[in-house]
Amino acid sequence: MALNEKFSAFMAKAGDVAQAAAKKANEVAAIAKAKASILAEEDKIKKAQLELGKLYYADFTAGEDPNAEQYLPWCEKITASKQQIEVLKAQIEDLKAPVQDEDVVTEEDFADEEALPEIEIEIVDAEPVEPENPETNE
């Protein structure tokens, strides 16, 4: 295999590694975004539960029966947030799932010395090249 072919193969593998790294970075960013969304939904649940508790306590201290119509919107918000959390958790699990792709580049791909280029460097004694215009070093 010629040096140029080995170098091309090496560069192709390096390109694959760079693409895999970019893909992984995107996955990590998506997971972080989903986790932030989960925290926001949990915050919504806490606020809705607080409001629900205030309504219930107001009814309790007034000696009134609980008013389901007042509670229903807050209960629906809590339910919607819990459902959204489950969706986000499923997305995170999908992102964390191992990739079943045959084109994934691994460290073993670089363990093959045949694929790496053999670069030979020849040092030659030569006269130094003087710049054409010594004042500007060009």
Side-chain angles (χ1 to χ4, degrees):
M1 182 181 284
L3 176 63
N4 195 21
E5 291 173 2
K6 286 184 179 183
F7 186 72
S8 294
F10 174 76
M11 290 306 293
K13 285 194 182 229
D16 291 344
V17 169
Q19 287 177 349
K23 183 178 178 183
K24 188 65 175 176
N26 287 336
E27 289 173 3
V28 169
I31 289 170
K33 184 178 177 182
K35 286 183 177 183
S37 294
I38 288 172
L39 292 174
E41 291 298 325
E42 288 173 344
D43 189 49
K44 288 179 186 178
I45 290 171
K46 288 177 185 175
K47 289 177 180 177
Q49 288 174 334
L50 180 65
E51 290 301 319
L52 189 59
K54 287 178 184 179
L55 287 173
Y56 180 81
Y57 187 72
D59 287 344
F60 174 78
T61 56
E64 298 176 5
D65 288 332
N67 185 347
E69 289 179 20
Q70 288 180 330
Y71 299 160
L72 188 58
W74 298 108
C75 291
E76 288 173 347
K77 286 181 181 185
I78 292 169
T79 301
S81 287
K82 286 186 176 190
Q83 290 172 344
Q84 183 62 25
I85 288 172
E86 291 305 313
V87 168
L88 292 166
K89 285 181 178 179
Q91 288 176 356
I92 290 171
E93 289 304 314
D94 288 344
L95 289 167
K96 287 183 175 181
V99 177
Q100 301 297 326
D101 189 357
E102 295 175 10
D103 294 332
V104 173
V105 179
T106 63
E107 288 183 31
E108 290 84 32
D109 294 328
F110 288 97
D112 181 14
E113 291 182 18
E114 292 292 318
L116 299 176
E118 293 179 21
I119 299 174
E120 295 180 19
I121 300 174
E122 182 180 343
I123 300 174
V124 180
D125 289 334
E127 297 291 321
V129 177
E130 296 292 326
E132 292 177 20
N133 186 352
E135 292 179 10
T136 61
N137 288 333
E138 291 181 11

